[in-house]
Amino acid sequence: MRKVYGKIPTFPKKEAAFQRWYNGESFGEIAKKFQVAEATAEIYKIDMIAYGRGESVMCDRLLKEMEISQDQFARVEECLSRSGITFREIFNETDLRYNQIRAIIVALSRDFRL
């Protein structure tokens, strides 16, 4: 899964955004505060969870806020069970946005299941 997800760079802005989300702020509030797109605010949180920040229970909140269904989660999990699958192939086979796929991969890597 880590190979499909890719590198996880971290930097102070990501850390600060994650802490705000951890304390209850929404993706929209964080995006506004840091003057980034909401998708960028999402990836900050996803990356920090992938990096090991926060408890695995944060995956539940992340998946709910990103509106990921059990069926979508299961579909990505099934894709990842295939040898040699790439991120792009998962994207092409699902109706999910990139960040939603990343969130599912992170949840699975943290042993979280919907």
Side-chain angles (χ1 to χ4, degrees), residues 42 46 62-68 97 99-100 103:
E42 290 174 351
I46 296 165
L62 177 69
L63 297 175
K64 284 179 183 173
E65 288 182 17
M66 295 190 70
E67 300 176 348
I68 296 169
R97 296 181 296 114
N99 284 353
Q100 289 173 310

Side-chain angles (χ1 to χ4, degrees), residues 6-93:
K7 292 182 179 180
I8 308 166
T10 185
F11 46 86
K13 191 175 190 178
K14 258 189 200 180
E15 290 273 354
F18 176 82
Q19 193 59 48
R20 287 178 167 276
W21 180 75
Y22 188 84
N23 290 332
E25 288 188 29
S26 71
F27 294 129
E29 292 168 323
I30 293 164
K32 187 175 181 179
K33 166 69 179 165
F34 291 98
Q35 298 179 339
V36 297
E38 195 164 323
T40 301
E42 290 174 351
I43 202 66
Y44 285 175
K45 268 60 85 215
I46 296 165
D47 277 357
M48 293 310 297
I49 292 171
Y51 190 69
R53 291 289 312 273
E55 314 79 50
S56 64
V57 71
M58 298 306 293
C59 294
D60 184 52
R61 177 178 165 203
L62 177 69
L63 297 175
K64 284 179 183 173
E65 288 182 17
M66 295 190 70
E67 300 176 348
I68 296 169
S69 72
Q70 284 185 315
D71 289 341
Q72 291 168 321
F73 188 93
R75 180 69 182 124
V76 171
E77 187 173 26
E78 185 275 321
C79 287
L80 289 167
S81 71
R82 297 193 313 246
S83 179
I85 191 82
T86 65
F87 194 93
R88 183 66 174 176
E89 289 170 330
I90 296 170
F91 178 77
N92 290 340
E93 292 183 30

